[in-house]
Amino acid sequence: MMSPSGMQLPREELVRAYRMMCDIRHFEDSVHDEFAAGSIPGFVHLYAGEEASAVGFMMHLNDADRIASTHRGHGHCIAKGCDVKAMMKEIYGRADGLCGGKGGSMHIADLTKGMMGANGIVGGGPPLICGAALSAKTLKTGGVAVAFVGDGGSNQGTTLESYNLAKVWNLPAIFVVEDNRYAESTASAWSVGGSQLKRAEGFGMPGRKVDGHDFFDVYDAAAEAIGRARNGEGPSLVHVETYRYYGHFEGDAITYRTPEEEEQMKTQKDCLKIFSQRVTETGLLDASALEEVEAESRSLIEQAVAEAKAAPAPGPDKLLTDVYVSY
Amino acid sequence: MAEVNLVEAVNMALARAMEEDDNVVVLGEDVGVNGGVFRATVGLLDRFGKERVMDTPLAESLIAGMSIGMAAMGLKPVAEIQFMGFIYPCVDQLVCHASRLRNRTRGRLGCPMVLRAPFGGGIHAPEHHSESTEAIFAHIPGLRVVIPSSPSRAYGLLLAAIRDPDPVIFLEPKRIYRLVRQEVPDDGTALPLDVCFTLREGTDLTLVTWGAMVHETLQAADALADQGISAEVIDVATVKPLDAESILISVEKTGRCVIVHEAARTAGMGAEIAARLCDEGLLSLMAPVKRVTGFDTVMPLPRSEHYYMPNVKRILKTCRELVDYA
């Protein structure tokens, strides 16, 4: 059976995809500005540039499906349906943030949305996803589980151990390697041995490489991999070639790549521009519909920032809560 | 002589050790081209080349395990783990192999490696980037745990750690990486790995601490002096093996002891020091041994960090209790 193509999506689904990508872009651009202005504490790692990857996958998932994210998790959270205002409050460390201000940028989670958490530990997600996939299989929820890892995370033992187990136990798991070319400052061009697809092949999993700047390419590959997992046909790997617009973390001096490279990627490979171009050229959506979504998204994120700034910080009474159920 | 801060002193010691001994090599994530996330290894790649300054893939378990193999077979690796929260994949390799290679082979194989990691809170980072779990390593026979608290001790202790024939976990309090500058002669002089440093002499009270908390503790000692209380301040620095002797001698003199550490309270190093004082110094004590520590919780995010961290006020309150006790 051929998987459905993204180009056949109904209008409202295309709008939904574009809205999520816009929300992520505006969210990340705002966090970048707010961090630079000194309003946001902690460390933040931004997903701008990679939107098509998260959205291309999450379009196929429902709340019963689980995902595990990375330290660069805002995009996955938004695409999985986490409330952007509660997310922004979490990043600001506020008491009514999505995790009560205890998780922060790197540990946002919302189990009601199937979002098992961003993760400060590189390679932390794949084993969790094997567990979530096994639970789904055992409890017959019909859900699948998706691990996002970066090119850096693809070299962790935990990731490779997970590939093996997911295959031998035929788990409904999908491993998405978001290769944005740099693990911090370490280029994947020399730090990743072999190839991501050959790795999948070595473990007996189907693998597919996609252009992560093209929502439709990601969407189609995701449909195939997720469809296989839902049908009990086991795990798959998708190698998403992408690019992050900002540094590894906010404050990164970015000494390991050139401004020319960044400029070229932003002007020629921007996933939002590519999406708009594709849907308007083919007449699937008109430019005014996209502009409307863009404006609504911008306004939503502005509100999220304003509310996060005004929200109260957790008090000392919260210091010892949530360590154990009873303490 | 140039004044350097703590992280520059680390860099200076690394360069000195590499200059002195061709077998000393540096490895870790982003240590080469990038010079380390905190700039501890900056310049080393240019100076010593990529065969001695190695950027590794992102794989902490491998970094530790590979260092053990290198150390057992003639090299002297100094590996960096970017943050202490990333060190746990190394625990398997360190506990199962590094710490017991010597014992297991009846002394035939050694493991002269150093694993450096920035640690501790106060820089507004999330949990894995802020915690202080030195006690996990201090619990393991065969590992040394060293924590410098000034540029000169960073230089001297790191040189000693690199020259030492056994595995050393070298924890650098990142909050004070750039807090103070000090003249540190780059003369290759190492400091001993088995004695505490008495930073201030006193007669009424002994304050025992290490890492970044040394600074709050010294400030507390100043404030106590204003109140007419004379506090002795000991920087443990070489947390394991622990020089309990120096602490006992001090408490024999003062009769009171407060231990200050940032790590969570339960089963922290403060508990070990208090136990040693009870075992061997009970009759010197005029008051209970007290601890001022972090709380038994996950290291909180920045908005709550100030509730978690021991501070001068908390230290003074506890000192006052002891002085009032007897």
Side-chain angles (χ1 to χ4, degrees):
Chain A
M1 187 188 77
M2 281 293 288
S3 306
S5 164
M7 293 302 285
Q8 292 158 359
L9 278 171
R11 189 179 187 281
E12 59 272 20
E13 284 295 279
L14 290 172
V15 169
R16 185 165 79 93
Y18 189 66
R19 186 181 301 280
M20 285 195 281
M21 295 206 296
C22 286
D23 285 351
I24 298 170
R25 178 66 56 87
H26 290 142
F27 192 94
E28 297 299 60
D29 287 348
S30 297
V31 172
H32 172 79
D33 292 344
E34 291 297 315
F35 189 90
S39 331
I40 294 176
F43 293 169
V44 292
H45 306 80
L46 301 179
Y47 194 71
E50 306 187 28
E51 293 87 349
S53 177
V55 175
F57 274 88
M58 254 57 99
M59 288 291 287
H60 301 281
L61 302 180
N62 58 56
D63 291 351
D65 296 322
R66 311 295 186 207
I67 68 159
S69 176
T70 67
H71 55 286
R72 199 174 305 290
H74 305 166
H76 303 131
C77 289
I78 292 172
K80 196 69 177 72
C82 296
D83 179 68
V84 290
K85 290 185 173 177
M87 277 180 67
M88 193 63 88
K89 285 180 186 163
E90 186 60 34
I91 289 167
Y92 272 79
R94 301 309 187 190
D96 53 352
L98 202 48
C99 299
K102 290 189 172 195
S105 163
M106 238 185 295
H107 299 276
I108 302 183
D110 186 356
L111 271 296
T112 65
K113 297 291 177 190
M115 168 61 197
M116 293 176 70
N119 202 320
I121 298 301
V122 175
L128 295 180
I129 267 342
C130 285
L134 182 66
S135 289
K137 194 175 172 182
T138 307
L139 302 174
K140 298 185 172 50
T141 65
V144 301
V146 183
F148 291 90
V149 291
D151 42 293
S154 79
N155 291 330
Q156 285 281 21
T158 47
T159 302
L160 299 166
E161 291 167 34
S162 300
Y163 292 172
N164 182 60
L165 181 114
K167 174 62 189 175
V168 297
W169 287 7
N170 195 42
L171 297 178
I174 297 97
F175 301 101
V176 183
V177 180
E178 292 183 321
D179 178 0
N180 64 21
R181 302 193 191 179
Y182 303 95
E184 297 213 24
S185 67
T186 300
S188 58
W190 67 261
S191 65
V192 178
S195 81
Q196 303 291 354
L197 293 188
K198 291 275 185 193
R199 290 179 181 192
E201 191 185 324
F203 286 100
M205 272 192 291
R208 180 166 160 183
K209 179 148 78 174
V210 299
D211 176 358
H213 310 283
D214 178 358
F215 163 81
F216 296 99
D217 200 14
V218 177
Y219 181 92
D220 292 358
E224 192 181 274
I226 293 166
R228 261 196 301 271
R230 285 208 202 284
N231 291 332
E233 295 165 34
S236 308
L237 181 147
V238 182
H239 178 187
V240 181
E241 289 186 308
T242 185
Y243 199 78
R244 59 168 150 81
Y245 285 180
Y246 295 112
H248 164 66
F249 60 99
E250 287 311 282
D252 185 354
I254 320 186
T255 53
Y256 45 85
R257 66 183 196 192
T258 62
E260 291 75 30
E261 176 186 302
E262 290 179 15
E263 196 50 34
Q264 191 198 3
M265 295 305 290
K266 286 178 190 173
T267 51
Q268 293 175 21
K269 299 291 278 178
D270 183 74
C271 62
L272 285 160
K273 284 184 198 153
I274 292 172
F275 182 96
S276 318
Q277 206 174 356
R278 188 78 69 84
V279 295
T280 49
E281 276 173 10
T282 52
L284 293 168
L285 291 176
D286 55 52
S288 66
L290 295 176
E291 280 161 23
E292 196 180 321
V293 169
E294 217 272 333
E296 284 167 6
S297 170
R298 186 180 296 278
S299 152
L300 173 71
I301 302 303
E302 279 170 10
Q303 280 173 42
V305 170
E307 287 178 27
K309 279 184 172 169
D317 56 315
K318 299 293 182 211
L319 194 59
L320 300 183
T321 58
D322 306 317
V323 182
Y324 302 95
V325 171
S326 60
Y327 191 20
Chain B
M1 190 190 322
E3 288 197 337
V4 293
N5 62 30
L6 201 156
V7 72
E8 288 162 352
V10 166
N11 184 272
M12 208 161 86
L14 289 170
R16 166 64 65 161
M18 295 182 82
E19 197 66 58
E20 281 175 358
D21 183 348
D22 289 343
N23 290 330
V24 175
V25 294
V26 164
L27 70 156
E29 295 159 8
D30 306 298
V31 298
V33 173
N34 196 44
V37 284
F38 287 100
R39 323 306 296 151
T41 54
V42 76
L44 298 180
L45 176 65
D46 288 343
R47 190 160 160 197
F48 298 101
K50 63 183 194 302
E51 289 186 356
R52 293 184 68 199
V53 181
M54 293 169 280
D55 276 316
T56 65
L58 214 160
E60 292 82 9
S61 177
L62 172 76
I63 292 168
M66 186 177 164
S67 297
I68 297 166
M70 291 158 79
M73 292 296 145
L75 293 176
K76 289 189 172 175
V78 184
E80 175 177 299
I81 298 297
Q82 244 165 34
F83 285 90
M84 192 166 197
F86 307 165
I87 214 170
Y88 307 117
C90 305
V91 170
D92 170 41
Q93 297 293 334
L94 294 169
V95 173
C96 299
H97 307 293
S99 68
R100 50 187 88 180
L101 216 51
R102 182 175 303 289
N103 184 266
R104 171 187 290 165
T105 61
R106 295 193 180 183
R108 286 191 295 265
L109 279 183
C111 189
M113 67 177 276
V114 177
L115 197 73
R116 297 177 38 247
F119 90 122
I123 66 155
H124 308 306
E127 52 186 83
H128 293 114
H129 297 66
S130 290
E131 54 204 16
S132 313
T133 49
E134 65 271 20
I136 292 177
F137 299 98
H139 187 66
I140 305 304
L143 295 182
R144 284 185 179 275
V145 181
V146 176
I147 302 175
S149 65
S150 72
S152 63
R153 285 190 289 284
Y155 179 83
L157 290 170
L158 183 53
L159 277 179
I162 295 170
R163 292 173 193 163
D164 191 80
D166 289 311
V168 180
I169 311 301
F170 194 84
L171 301 174
E172 299 163 8
K174 60 183 175 293
R175 176 163 65 94
I176 58 168
Y177 260 158
R178 295 178 170 82
L179 184 71
V180 289
R181 303 188 79 84
Q182 209 178 23
E183 282 193 358
V184 180
D186 186 10
D187 58 4
T189 305
L191 287 166
L193 285 181
D194 47 12
V195 293
C196 296
F197 297 86
T198 300
L199 303 183
R200 178 185 177 117
E201 297 201 349
T203 52
D204 299 327
L205 184 69
T206 302
L207 299 176
V208 178
T209 188
W210 53 92
M213 276 301 141
V214 163
H215 292 263
E216 278 71 15
T217 307
L218 284 169
Q219 285 169 30
D222 280 343
L224 287 168
D226 292 343
Q227 299 170 26
I229 299 164
S230 161
E232 183 141 305
V233 177
I234 294 179
D235 175 8
V236 175
T238 53
V239 166
K240 177 76 177 288
L242 175 69
D243 168 26
E245 189 64 24
S246 294
I247 301 169
L248 280 160
I249 289 168
S250 173
V251 173
E252 263 175 35
K253 178 173 65 175
T254 64
R256 301 178 186 90
C257 183
V258 175
I259 304 148
V260 183
H261 65 66
E262 201 179 302
R265 188 179 190 82
T266 301
M269 272 306 288
E272 174 63 25
I273 293 167
R276 295 289 282 270
L277 287 169
C278 289
D279 280 351
E280 299 163 51
L282 188 63
L283 298 180
S284 311
L285 290 168
M286 296 189 288
V289 177
K290 290 276 182 187
R291 289 173 286 166
V292 179
T293 68
F295 294 90
D296 287 335
T297 186
V298 178
M299 182 72 193
L301 263 180
R303 307 280 182 205
S304 302
E305 201 172 52
H306 60 293
Y307 298 130
Y308 176 91
M309 301 282 277
N311 54 33
V312 174
K313 198 173 153 195
R314 276 172 64 195
I315 298 168
L316 287 176
K317 183 170 173 281
T318 304
C319 291
R320 193 77 245 175
E321 279 170 32
L322 289 202
V323 172
D324 291 347
Y325 190 93

